[in-house]
Amino acid sequence: MSRERFMRIHSPEFQAMSERVLQVTALTSRLNVLPFDDEEGKAALFEQILGRPLPPRVTVYPPFYTDHGLGLDFAERVFINQNCTFLDYAGIRLAERVMVGPGATFITNGHPVDPAERRLWLTGAPIDVAENVWIGAGAMILPGVSIGRDAVIAAGAVVADDVPPATLVMGPKGTVRRQW
């Protein structure tokens, strides 16, 4: 069963999502200019961004970027280094003890490859990261990926396929698949 979702771009659902993106962009802009030690201010903004308080013992170093916020699910003892981006409309779950290096990007949304469909639809699939995973600096995790427990995603890796537990993933994934 596919986890991929489709949303028509000119629809009430898309309009609601777009409004949320503008709201969360304003909130993250405020978050990213707070003094580093303003724990109360960061907690209040994260509660608005996530729609609930940040779980205990979660560490997030700003700058931090998300486009929706309500699709983020962080377990306890998650560590997110600075300058990370979470495009989370289709959902991103980070289990306990996940560590995310600086500049990592998680993307749950995209568009169809077919040029005629590209401006009509938004596609998406959730990202699920199991316990004790380490995601290196500048890694990019693409829609629909599940990463198994204890895996390591090396710096700069592009992850487009599921990752088995206790494995190391390295390198870019640019491969020509087809032409039109």
Side-chain angles (χ1 to χ4, degrees), residues 93-105:
R93 184 185 77 88
L94 302 184
E96 286 195 21
R97 297 183 324 274
V98 169
M99 297 185 302
V100 180
T105 302

Side-chain angles (χ1 to χ4, degrees), residues 11 22 36-37 44 52 67 74 80-81 83 90 105 118 136 164 167:
S11 69
L22 293 175
F36 185 75
D37 60 353
R52 64 195 170 288
D67 67 340
F74 299 148
I80 300 169
N81 213 323
N83 205 32
T105 302
R118 204 173 292 160
T167 57

Side-chain angles (χ1 to χ4, degrees), residues 72-90:
L72 291 173
D73 180 10
F74 299 148
E76 288 192 33
R77 296 184 287 171
V78 164
F79 174 82
I80 300 169
N81 213 323
Q82 59 191 348
N83 205 32
C84 291
T85 300
F86 296 82
L87 304 184
D88 68 292
Y89 184 72

Side-chain angles (χ1 to χ4, degrees), residues 51-152:
R52 64 195 170 288
L54 199 59
R57 300 190 319 187
V58 168
T59 301
V60 179
Y61 285 170
F64 170 86
Y65 303 96
T66 185
D67 67 340
H68 195 263
L70 300 177
L72 291 173
D73 180 10
F74 299 148
E76 288 192 33
R77 296 184 287 171
V78 164
F79 174 82
I80 300 169
N81 213 323
Q82 59 191 348
N83 205 32
C84 291
T85 300
F86 296 82
L87 304 184
D88 68 292
Y89 184 72
I92 299 170
R93 184 185 77 88
L94 302 184
E96 286 195 21
R97 297 183 324 274
V98 169
M99 297 185 302
V100 180
T105 302
F106 296 73
I107 302 171
T108 66
N109 294 335
H111 296 272
V113 174
D114 181 341
E117 300 288 314
R118 204 173 292 160
R119 296 192 194 284
L120 299 175
W121 296 96
L122 187 67
T123 61
I127 294 171
D128 185 52
V129 181
E131 296 83 9
N132 204 39
V133 168
W134 179 18
I135 297 175
M140 184 174 296
I141 315 301
L142 298 180
V145 167
S146 291
I147 300 174
R149 183 184 181 101
D150 298 323
V152 174

